[in-house]
Amino acid sequence: MLGQMQNQQLLISSLIEFAERHHGDGEIVSRRVEGDIHRYTYRDLARRSRQLANALDGLGLERGDRVASLAWNGYRHMEMYFGVSGSGRVLHTINPRLHPEQIAWIINHAEDRVLCFDLTFLPLVQAVHAKCPTIKKWVALCDADRLPQDSGIPDLFSYEDWIAPASDEYIWPQFDENTASSMCYTSGTTGNPKAALYSHRSTVLHAYAAALPDVMSLSARDAVLPVVPMFHVNAWGIPYSAALTGCKLVYPGPAMDGKSIYELMEAEHVTYAAGVPTVWQMLLGYIKPAGLKFSTLKRTVIGGSACPPAMIRAFQDDYGVEVLHAWGMTEMSPLGTLCTLKNKQLELPEDEQMKVLQKQGRAIFGVDMKIVGDDGRELPWDGRTYGDLLVRGPWVLESYYKGANPLVMDEQGRGWFPTGDVATIDADGFMQITDRSKDVIKSGGEWISSIDIENIAMAHPAVAMAACVGMPHPKWDERPIVAVVKKPGAEVTREELLEFYQGKTAKWQIPDDVVFVDAIPLGATGKMLKTRLREQLAGYKLPGV
Ligand code: ADP
């Protein structure tokens, strides 16, 4: 017997329709590439998304055609989120920090038909446009009077000129909720990037889940600043959850330095922010020496790579800002786990709570996870045993766009996505990432977590950033060393830092050496690029080897 409830498809257009009707006057503030601050409302966003949808229809684009963006976080980019996907096309958000060769490669791989870009990326577009024959329209996300002359790009349009004549009346098409809505390529640190192709259903379900109190807890009372870029897994889904909840949105545009972010937070009374640890490092690096405080910021989601406990403490103890540690992947839309305490843990002493809060957290309903050993058997949830982390759920990838199906089948015939992460899970369901499987250090048959080694170094007051890698060792196979960037003006010696490890981890896990470097190479999404660091350390020999 079937249920007798309305069978409405879960479509992204329903989010923007809801936003317009129920919190149409909610504010969306953007720092523009032009440098000024732009303000409008969800009502304006909905109206202009419909104009964009009409403009896309006018180009004769088919359903499923890919429309690409090379853009910062801002209102025009958000219009693309709804206008492109809502009208049945697929939004392809390109990471501008990728190498131009890779950008040309993914445009061709995705067979993008339209590319809309912020003027910051004009040189990039000039470098790739001749190699991208599938694109039939190039659009600069700017006012008409800002359109560059002699750009060398044929028929370049300004976005405003393009959508201005289009009607703002549009009936969003209804279609199967499993229709593709957007795509995002992984950063491809090894080999060519691979794309996750999201659907309307996966996106809407993820938007619901992200808004839950123990997940990102977004509400109409928040003013949210996503520092995480809209080209990186849809800014962790925040634009969709924002439309669903009606929170005020504050977009930082291209100004991602500590000062600009801080000033925007204060000016717009931001209560909530989200980003990768390296961004928050810059923010703390700006406000601490300047003796500044946050007057409205209450919570921040930190994820994308392990958040050092020292950062959680700094936010909490020095600024009264709650840190929510999150874990996810491009292949997971991206949210998998988020760390919030359970009721019974509220009575724990602060130190015990901190041990929990530095974990990557509990699975969100919609994500099932397990850890397995080399033989594929599930391992116990005891907080100590580590294994390969596998996940499944309605917003987890099944197969890559034009690519392989990486799923591992279980005895019941259910497919699990192998995350490539090594993790423990404790009896309360809190997952902790030990490492990416390719970064884990194998010493004398035991594993050493590079994240643990980095976190200890990061707790030293003179250390700005630390990256731990394994170096070949004739007896132990590999031994850890830690590459360290000192804070400006701070001093610490190799010996002092090695001494700092004493008592904080097992003796055999203490790194064999400290190498001071000017910078740790970062990848396109702000994560440490250990492959590049290892290349830089080529020729390095462990002491005594
Ligand atoms: P890419 O694969 O392009 O670098 P993703 O954002 O998809 O970008 O990266 C996902 C990976 O990032 C995870 O598999 C995990 O290794 C790492 N990661 C994400 N969040 C965390 C976290 N909170 N702690 C540790 N590692 C994390």
Side-chain angles (χ1 to χ4, degrees), residues 20 46-54 167-170 172:
E20 181 176 34
R47 179 176 47 79
R48 284 169 51 96
S49 301
R50 292 194 295 270
Q51 281 184 285
L52 173 59
N54 274 319
S167 163
D168 62 9
E169 284 181 19
Y170 190 78
W172 296 108

Side-chain angles (χ1 to χ4, degrees), residues 186-187 232 304-306 325-330 360 419 421 436 527:
T186 61
S187 50
H232 187 205
S305 41
H325 193 190
W327 167 84
M329 301 184 77
T330 304
Q360 277 71 11
T419 63
D421 288 324
R436 278 196 165 191
K527 302 181 194 201

Side-chain angles (χ1 to χ4, degrees), residues 22-95:
H22 297 280
H23 36 260
D25 64 349
E27 241 192 320
I28 300 173
V29 180
S30 312
R31 193 195 293 277
R32 303 205 301 174
V33 171
E34 290 88 330
D36 57 345
I37 297 287
H38 173 274
R39 292 173 187 280
Y40 76 177
T41 62
Y42 282 99
R43 192 170 296 124
D44 299 316
L45 168 70
R47 179 176 47 79
R48 284 169 51 96
S49 301
R50 292 194 295 270
Q51 281 184 285
L52 173 59
N54 274 319
L56 290 167
D57 284 1
L59 282 184
L61 290 197
E62 303 281 327
R63 292 261 173 90
D65 275 349
R66 270 74 70 204
V67 176
S69 66
L70 260 174
W72 300 109
N73 291 6
Y75 66 105
R76 290 181 180 125
H77 205 173
M78 191 165 181
E79 290 161 15
M80 294 186 71
Y81 270 46
F82 294 100
V84 173
S85 304
S87 65
R89 283 95 195 189
V90 178
L91 176 66
H92 171 200
T93 51
I94 303 176
N95 185 340

Side-chain angles (χ1 to χ4, degrees), residues 95 184-189 194 198 232-233 236 276-277 302-307 325-332 334 337 358-361 389 417 419-422 431-439 451 524-525 527 529:
N95 185 340
C184 185
Y185 282 74
T186 61
S187 50
T189 40
K194 293 179 281 191
Y198 310 113
H232 187 205
V233 216
W236 298 347
V276 295
I302 304 186
S305 41
C307 177
H325 193 190
W327 167 84
M329 301 184 77
T330 304
E331 288 88 339
M332 298 177 68
T337 64
Q358 70 191 50
K359 298 189 176 194
Q360 277 71 11
L389 181 64
F417 177 77
T419 63
D421 288 324
V422 176
M431 185 275 287
Q432 183 162 30
I433 301 274
T434 312
D435 243 317
R436 278 196 165 191
S437 53
K438 59 183 186 301
D439 290 336
I451 296 176
T525 51
K527 302 181 194 201
L529 260 192

Side-chain angles (χ1 to χ4, degrees), residues 257-272:
D257 60 289
K259 181 171 189 289
S260 306
I261 297 283
Y262 175 77
E263 287 173 358
L264 194 58
M265 280 179 166
E266 288 299 299
E268 297 300 329
H269 308 297
V270 167
T271 56
Y272 193 107

Side-chain angles (χ1 to χ4, degrees), residues 197-220:
L197 185 60
Y198 310 113
S199 70
H200 284 258
R201 173 183 156 83
S202 70
T203 306
V204 172
L205 289 176
H206 183 272
Y208 266 120
L212 285 170
D214 274 351
V215 187
M216 296 225 268
S217 180
L218 294 175
S219 92

